Amino acid sequence: AQSVTQLDSQVPVFEEAPVELRCNYSSSVSVYLFWYVQYPNQGLQLLLKYLSGSTLVKGINGFEAEFNKSQTSFHLRKPSVHISDTAEYFCAVTITGGGNKLTFGTGTQLKVEL
Amino acid sequence: DGGITQSPKYLFRKEGQNVTLSCEQNLNHDAMYWYRQDPGQGLRLIYYSQIVNDFQKGDIAEGYSVSREKKESFPLTVTSAQKNPTAFYLCASSSRGQVANEQFFGPGTRLTVL
């Protein structure tokens, strides 16, 4: 079975600084990877996804992620964060032929400070 | 506007009572999902349905039941057998296909057992 690890439960960062949220996955077969964002007391919104092709994926709100198969990672980055980026971020994985069932990481709370 | 609605937003119930959470989508999606979210644990899959009149258990189905009589609707019943039902419940939907498709999420229902 596949799994996702988000080692950082909280990441504080100052406004306009760069940020990287880490995600590592485990799977014996090919995977599809996703990053979602959740604002307080709301549902999840897709930031970006990797299905195939270029390993650098660009998403909404200036976020990007790089798929690294050898390191089984899919880290999320933003070169300059804004206060409005304060939210919880979830990495998720599904396997090819997996019926679109997602396995989520435990989430990383990004707190942007002035 | 197309989307997913969940009602109610907040729900309180006494121990020993069953309660049903509503999830409706007008995205014409075949697949629907129910997740439970607890602090620090990410999202865990309760049940999912790929097509009308068919559904499968997820990772934590015990104490829950679902039905899928209409394409647009996927209600979740939290039964008295669920030992720790207080949580945030999220419904999602997606189109079907060979390649993983984005799951769209509703705004969630926060259930509190008194």
Side-chain angles (χ1 to χ4, degrees):
Chain A
Q2 66 273 21
S3 66
V4 176
T5 301
Q6 292 181 251
L7 286 174
D8 304 309
S9 60
Q10 293 187 32
V11 173
V13 62
F14 288 109
E15 189 168 319
E16 297 183 5
V19 70
E20 178 179 85
L21 306 183
R22 296 182 295 169
C23 172
N24 289 89
Y25 69 91
S26 174
S27 174
S28 57
V29 299
S30 297
V31 297
Y32 303 120
L33 293 154
F34 303 80
W35 275 100
Y36 282 86
V37 60
Q38 184 181 35
Y39 299 100
N41 293 311
Q42 293 186 26
L44 276 66
Q45 179 184 6
L46 182 70
L47 278 176
L48 49 79
K49 61 184 176 184
Y50 171 79
L51 302 182
S52 65
S54 173
T55 57
L56 182 63
V57 181
K58 294 190 183 297
I60 62 171
N61 300 341
F63 283 94
E64 64 181 33
E66 185 156 19
F67 171 61
N68 188 319
K69 189 174 181 179
S70 62
Q71 297 187 8
T72 60
S73 67
F74 190 54
H75 301 332
L76 181 71
R77 303 186 184 99
K78 186 170 183 177
S80 175
V81 296
H82 189 266
I83 285 285
S84 60
D85 293 322
T86 295
E88 189 151 26
Y89 293 79
F90 291 94
C91 183
V93 64
T94 188
I95 60 175
T96 55
N100 214 30
K101 285 174 53 181
L102 289 176
T103 298
F104 284 86
T106 51
T108 297
Q109 179 67 45
L110 175 64
K111 185 173 182 181
V112 181
E113 302 168 353
L114 292 171
Chain B
D1 286 338
I4 301 177
T5 56
Q6 291 186 242
S7 61
K9 188 170 179 63
Y10 297 96
L11 188 56
F12 299 88
R13 79 150 215 223
K14 295 180 180 178
E15 278 193 40
Q17 290 181 336
N18 292 354
V19 63
T20 297
L21 282 59
S22 169
C23 177
E24 304 276 334
Q25 55 98 0
N26 61 3
L27 299 168
N28 200 33
H29 285 163
D30 287 304
M32 297 187 74
Y33 313 81
W34 272 106
Y35 295 92
R36 170 182 171 136
Q37 184 178 14
D38 297 281
Q41 295 194 46
L43 280 72
R44 292 179 291 168
L45 183 64
I46 305 173
Y47 269 97
Y48 64 104
S49 168
Q50 302 276 35
I51 198 168
V52 174
N53 292 322
D54 187 44
F55 50 82
Q56 288 79 41
K57 292 181 179 180
D59 301 318
I60 55 165
E62 185 176 350
Y64 299 97
S65 65
V66 294
S67 62
R68 187 81 189 279
E69 297 176 1
K70 297 188 300 182
K71 187 175 184 178
E72 302 79 20
S73 178
F74 191 41
L76 173 73
T77 297
V78 184
T79 75
S80 56
Q82 168 50 233
K83 298 193 186 319
N84 185 20
T86 294
F88 190 50
Y89 291 87
L90 287 159
C91 179
S93 71
S94 72
S95 55
R96 291 180 67 196
Q98 292 300 316
V99 179
N101 294 305
E102 174 187 355
Q103 290 188 18
F104 291 81
F105 284 79
T109 292
R110 188 167 297 280
L111 172 64
T112 302
V113 175
L114 304 172

